[in-house]
């Protein structure tokens, strides 16, 4: 459209005059967030560049910049959008480790948004095919049922049974003990359930 063309021409003039912020704003208004992103990146404003690369649909650049700028949650979301599940999981895990205090313990009620990043990390580790890492982060986040499922998938039925017990899921724990070849523990648990 004519208005967008005018914005872009004006942006070029502001760029020549050395006013990159005004130029970047006009490139954004002209529907060229990628051009604006490059300007912000060149001037060292990684966070704004990352946001604009996201608007431009360049999630890979957005992910890298958010990661380097120390915003793992935003980086994780961007890595997930490009299908890089392992790097997304790493970033969700990093966010969890930086923001959840182990000393405070977990509330058995509603998990915090920060605690949920452990759940997201675990799900993405599963998508990436690393069920052991999934089990570990699920467990750290207090998602014991999910950790139990992942431990079963990684061939650790005894560990899975212990996790199911922590999740107060005796039936699943019994099945896991049975899979581990511990018929006595399985029968005892089933007796308690009955």
């Amino acid at each position: 459209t004519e208005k967008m063309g005018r914005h872009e021409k004006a942006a070029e003039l502001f760029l020549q005059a050395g006013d990159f912020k005004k130029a970047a704003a006009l490139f954004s208004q002209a529907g060229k967030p990628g051009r604006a992103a490059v300007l912000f990146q060149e001037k060292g404003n990684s966070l704004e560049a990352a946001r604009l690369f996201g608007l431009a649909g360049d999630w890979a650049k957005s992910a890298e910049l958010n990661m380097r700028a120390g915003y793992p949650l935003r980086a994780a979301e961007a890595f997930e959008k490009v299908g890089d599940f392992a790097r997304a999981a790493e970033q969700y895990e990093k966010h969890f480790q930086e923001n959840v205090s182990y000393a405070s313990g977990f509330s058995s009620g509603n998990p915090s948004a920060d605690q949920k990043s452990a759940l997201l990390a675990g799900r993405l580790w599963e998508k990436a095919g690393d069920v052991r890492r999934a089990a570990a982060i699920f467990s750290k986040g207090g998602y014991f049922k999910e950790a139990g499922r992942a431990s079963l998938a990684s061939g650790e039925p005894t560990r899975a049974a212990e996790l199911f017990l922590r999740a107060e899921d005796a039936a699943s724990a019994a099945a896991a003990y049975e899979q581990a070849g511990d018929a006595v523990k399985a029968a005892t648990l089933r007796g308690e359930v009955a």
Side-chain angles (χ1 to χ4, degrees):
T1 69
E2 193 183 331
K3 191 176 182 185
M4 284 181 146
R6 282 202 308 267
H7 281 311
E8 197 170 352
K9 281 187 185 120
E12 294 292 351
L13 291 171
F14 275 109
L15 195 54
Q16 286 167 21
D19 189 343
F20 92 97
K21 281 191 175 170
K22 190 72 177 159
L26 285 163
F27 278 129
S28 287
Q29 288 169 14
K32 307 263 182 176
R35 287 286 309 272
V38 170
L39 290 176
F40 277 109
Q41 186 179 6
E42 285 170 359
K43 295 295 179 183
N45 187 338
S46 297
L47 198 55
E48 186 60 14
R51 186 185 73 76
L52 289 163
F53 277 125
L55 282 177
D58 191 341
W59 294 107
K61 272 190 183 149
S62 180
E64 289 293 340
L65 286 171
N66 274 309
M67 190 175 78
R68 276 190 260 146
Y71 291 90
L73 203 53
R74 290 179 185 169
E77 290 163 356
F79 279 127
E80 195 173 354
K81 283 189 168 98
V82 291
D84 192 340
F85 301 128
R87 289 184 80 189
E90 277 173 359
Q91 292 301 304
Y92 277 125
E93 200 167 311
K94 185 175 186 199
H95 176 80
F96 172 78
Q97 289 166 339
E98 288 174 355
N99 293 283
V100 177
S101 164
Y102 294 102
S104 66
F106 299 116
S107 59
S108 57
N110 293 328
S112 69
D114 292 331
Q115 194 178 334
K116 282 182 185 163
S117 60
L119 181 66
L120 295 169
R123 287 179 179 159
L124 286 164
W125 280 125
E126 286 177 325
K127 271 187 174 177
D130 194 337
V131 284
R132 278 215 164 104
R133 275 193 84 169
I137 191 64
F138 281 142
S139 185
K140 283 180 190 168
Y143 295 97
F144 299 117
K145 191 174 273 202
E146 290 84 352
R149 274 192 304 73
S151 290
L152 269 182
S154 69
E156 299 178 77
T158 303
R159 174 88 180 115
E162 291 162 1
L163 289 161
F164 285 131
L165 285 175
R166 287 190 75 179
E168 297 175 8
D169 182 350
S172 295
Y177 275 128
E178 200 164 71
Q179 199 173 321
D182 195 336
V184 176
K185 274 189 182 165
T188 305
L189 278 173
R190 288 203 174 98
E192 287 174 16
V193 171

